Amino acid sequence: MNPAVLSDLIRSTAAEALTTRGLDTTVLPATVTVERPRNPEHGDYATNLALQVAKKVGVPPREFAGWLAEALANQDGVRSVDIAGPGFLNLRLDPEAQGRVIREVLRRGEHFGEGDELAGTRINLEFVSANPTGPIHLGGTRWAAVGDTLGRLFAARGADVTREYYFNDAGAQIDRFVRSLVAAAKGEPVPEDGYGGDYIAEIASSVLQAEPDVLGLPEDEAAETFRRVGVGMMFEQIKRSLHDFGTDFDVYFHEDSLHSSGAVDRAVERLKEAGSLYHSEGAWWLRSTDFGDDKDRPVIKSDGQPAYIAGDLAYYLDKRSRGFDLCVYMLGADHHGYIGRLKAAAAAFGDDPGTVEVLIGQMVNLVRGGETVRMSKRAGTVVTLEDLVDAVGVDAARYSLIRASVDSPLDIDQELWSSRSNENPVFYVQYAHSRLASIQRNALELGVDAGDPERTDYGLLSHEREGELLRELAAFPEKVELATRLREPHRIARYLEELSSAYHKFYDACRVLPMGDEKPTELTSARLQLCAATRQVLANGLALLGVSAPERM
């Protein structure tokens, strides 16, 4: 019996109690809140339903709680119900009822934790989208890990997800990148507004190898060659880095295509026809304040050139034309203004602003020896994805970036995250999984068969530590749903640590395999099935994070 099943049971029991007494059942919430008490001595689960609804039907909360307690105590799987304080209900479940989650986990396997509340929803998830002018810095790396996990969460709850990278191949930053490549190829100093770092020299050298005669071309043709070849090489490096980091995209969308295809011009004309643009001081402005933005935004500048938001407008229309119901943008810490403008853009086109969702991620620092690492080995400026992976490895890098809420700045301690100790959260979780894999190997070597999980007597799992572990397993689907709905992947990492803690405590208190001349018992089978279910849930959770679940460590 998991929290969702218990919630339904409490609600149906409350509805019956109200109906029997001729009272209004519409006061009941659609979903009854069921929580685990902080103090395990108070019970396995608790609900405040009596406090929520009793006064609405003119009954003292403790009296209503008494009705519920009497009825629930007779339900299958409920061992006892106590009334606490002004009307809280504390419930204890039979071990067999709690143990049913093992069967569910082992039946569903890698699909345990999935749901269908987002079925039929098409989501465009745009993240990273770093300028193709250098390696990905730590802020972009954070979105590579968090965005990829959010995509996995959306898919796990039934959504049709397209992971998209917006390739900024138009604008001044590309011009500066090209000038930097040309200067490096000629052996000249970095332009005043250019890009430095070893990677510039490496790409410039690669362009010269691919196009040996490029420096003999007229200046404009040479620059165009460096643009075409050099930007392509830089972007291929970015894609390889992301792939090696476990993050891949379904679509790489080129900003330049919005301008070359006329999509920007069409978006501007549509807004003019709708009366959402006005002309002032030689420029065309979006009436974004009419739609909740803090100020109106210039779309076409006084020199006739499109402002950056013009591309955003066309890009939003393109996403909607591809049939996406929700467009999620994951942007950096300096992009708070985009929340209002992108929602205003949706409204200006006649859409619900809710079709746009903007997530903002805060900055990340790599800390070594108590000091923030400022310089990259290769980029020469900011610390990069490769620097972080070199320092702590892919699994620890992903886990450390996902584990914290993106609303807060993050310091990654290299010594901690590269250590092989229980102080390192990713090691702690992975070690729990490898320990469980070891138990299953040892059982095979001893010839101990766990038997059929459908026929195992889980009522034997009556130890306090077994109950705690079972309740953690039962909570996984709810944790996945909540992490998805709140867009907070860090909740999965924190859950895995709680599950690992519950498992380690169980392992220390409850012997799983027989020793010496002992014979396996029915309890042995029940505990082996509990271990198999725990291993499965740990693997499922780590898969959502894109982190490996090692068999041996």
Side-chain angles (χ1 to χ4, degrees):
M1 182 179 293
N2 59 36
V5 172
L6 184 57
S7 173
D8 290 343
L9 176 62
I10 294 171
R11 191 185 189 285
S12 63
T13 302
E16 184 177 350
L18 290 171
T19 301
T20 300
R21 293 164 175 82
L23 298 175
D24 183 12
T25 61
T26 64
V27 298
L28 293 172
T31 301
V32 173
T33 300
V34 173
E35 298 178 327
R36 291 168 58 186
R38 292 184 180 180
N39 185 347
E41 294 181 1
H42 293 165
D44 300 329
Y45 295 99
T47 181
N48 65 349
L49 179 64
L51 295 172
Q52 281 184 283
V53 305
K55 291 184 179 179
K56 295 178 182 178
V57 293
V59 176
R62 279 189 67 90
E63 181 178 348
F64 185 67
W67 300 345
L68 283 179
E70 182 180 358
L72 286 168
N74 295 319
Q75 296 290 342
D76 177 44
V78 178
R79 187 170 66 184
S80 65
V81 185
D82 297 320
I83 303 171
F88 292 100
L89 287 180
N90 293 329
L91 298 91
R92 295 186 185 277
L93 304 183
D94 289 330
E96 196 280 329
Q98 292 194 86
R100 294 171 195 165
V101 70
I102 297 175
R103 294 192 184 97
E104 184 183 357
V105 172
L106 297 180
R107 281 183 199 136
R108 300 199 64 193
E110 64 183 20
H111 299 294
F112 181 72
E114 295 179 354
D116 60 3
E117 67 272 7
L118 293 179
T121 303
R122 296 195 62 204
I123 299 177
N124 181 283
L125 179 62
E126 183 209 327
F127 60 108
V128 182
S129 297
N131 289 335
T133 54
I136 296 175
H137 58 68
L138 287 185
T141 305
R142 187 177 203 176
W143 275 145
V146 175
D148 182 64
T149 298
L150 186 56
R152 294 168 191 251
L153 287 170
F154 281 143
R157 305 307 291 186
D160 178 1
V161 186
T162 294
R163 298 161 178 83
E164 188 152 315
Y165 190 115
Y166 187 53
F167 182 27
N168 301 98
D169 54 352
Q173 80 278 359
I174 295 295
D175 295 334
R176 294 197 300 272
F177 178 68
V178 170
R179 290 197 298 272
S180 302
L181 292 180
V182 172
K186 293 180 177 179
E188 297 175 352
V190 177
E192 184 175 346
D193 60 347
Y195 297 94
D198 293 344
Y199 77 97
I200 290 291
E202 292 170 7
I203 294 175
S205 176
S206 296
V207 174
L208 289 175
Q209 291 178 21
E211 303 284 344
D213 301 325
V214 63
L215 294 180
L217 296 173
E219 185 174 330
D220 288 349
E221 292 183 34
E224 183 53 37
T225 300
F226 274 99
R227 180 187 303 273
R228 174 175 52 82
V229 180
V231 172
M233 289 178 172
M234 184 71 255
F235 196 46
E236 285 304 312
Q237 287 188 19
I238 289 173
K239 287 197 280 189
R240 281 197 301 272
S241 296
L242 289 168
H243 174 75
D244 293 343
F245 192 59
T247 300
D248 292 295
F249 292 84
D250 303 302
V251 173
Y252 293 95
F253 192 98
H254 290 255
E255 178 189 2
D256 185 60
S257 68
L258 295 170
H259 298 273
S260 61
S261 68
V264 169
D265 293 335
R266 290 193 295 272
V268 170
E269 286 305 312
R270 179 169 165 178
L271 290 172
K272 285 181 180 179
E273 292 172 3
S276 296
L277 295 186
Y278 65 91
H279 195 261
S280 176
E281 299 176 352
W284 285 94
W285 298 73
L286 177 65
R287 301 181 188 277
S288 42
T289 52
D290 289 353
F291 306 106
D293 199 2
D294 60 342
K295 60 183 178 181
D296 289 347
R297 308 284 177 175
V299 176
I300 301 296
K301 297 181 289 186
S302 57
D303 62 1
Q305 294 300 308
Y308 193 80
I309 193 176
D312 292 333
L313 295 168
Y315 188 32
Y316 170 77
L317 276 186
D318 183 89
K319 290 180 178 183
R320 292 288 282 160
S321 71
R322 285 184 274 152
F324 293 110
D325 305 300
L326 176 63
C327 302
V328 180
Y329 299 77
M330 305 181 72
L331 306 177
D334 57 345
H335 286 69
H336 277 280
Y338 277 76
I339 300 175
R341 77 179 68 172
L342 288 172
K343 286 185 172 292
F349 285 120
D351 282 347
D352 182 343
T355 59
V356 166
E357 193 171 314
V358 181
L359 305 178
I360 302 294
Q362 296 302 315
M363 298 301 293
V364 182
N365 294 309
L366 176 63
V367 176
R368 184 182 299 135
E371 298 291 332
T372 299
V373 179
R374 299 292 183 189
M375 302 293 284
S376 169
K377 298 175 185 175
R378 181 163 171 267
T381 50
V382 295
V383 180
T384 68
L385 182 157
E386 287 84 357
D387 294 323
L388 179 59
V389 170
D390 288 346
V392 302
V394 171
D395 280 346
R398 285 184 67 100
Y399 195 99
S400 64
L401 291 165
I402 297 165
R403 184 178 184 262
S405 170
V406 297
D407 294 335
S408 303
L410 176 62
D411 289 335
I412 297 176
D413 187 317
Q414 178 180 338
E415 284 77 13
L416 170 65
W417 286 96
S418 59
S419 68
R420 295 179 62 81
S421 74
N422 285 339
E423 298 301 312
N424 178 348
V426 69
F427 179 87
Y428 185 67
V429 174
Q430 289 180 318
Y431 179 61
H433 183 272
S434 68
R435 198 181 215 185
L436 285 156
S438 175
I439 285 177
Q440 291 183 298
R441 287 195 302 270
N442 292 339
L444 287 174
E445 291 171 3
L446 292 171
V448 177
D449 184 0
D452 183 354
E454 297 293 330
R455 297 176 180 272
T456 301
D457 182 4
Y458 298 117
L460 297 171
L461 300 175
S462 58
H463 193 283
E464 177 184 355
R465 296 304 188 193
E466 293 167 333
E468 291 174 2
L469 184 53
L470 286 167
R471 288 188 288 278
E472 286 292 349
L473 294 177
F476 183 58
E478 180 184 7
K479 297 289 186 180
V480 176
E481 187 279 329
L482 187 63
T484 307
R485 175 162 45 87
L486 298 180
R487 317 303 192 233
E488 294 182 347
H490 69 273
R491 290 177 179 269
I492 301 301
R494 299 306 177 104
Y495 164 79
L496 291 176
E497 291 162 37
E498 292 170 1
L499 177 60
S500 298
S501 175
Y503 168 70
H504 289 309
K505 290 175 182 176
F506 155 79
Y507 182 86
D508 291 341
C510 303
R511 181 148 42 89
V512 177
L513 295 173
M515 297 180 65
D517 295 331
E518 292 179 348
K519 298 295 183 183
T521 65
E522 291 187 27
L523 179 58
T524 303
S525 296
R527 286 179 173 171
L528 279 172
Q529 301 292 8
L530 174 58
C531 288
T534 304
R535 179 185 178 187
Q536 183 68 66
V537 174
L538 283 171
N540 291 2
L542 287 167
L544 286 173
L545 304 183
V547 174
S548 68
E551 302 286 314
R552 291 179 168 85
M553 290 181 71

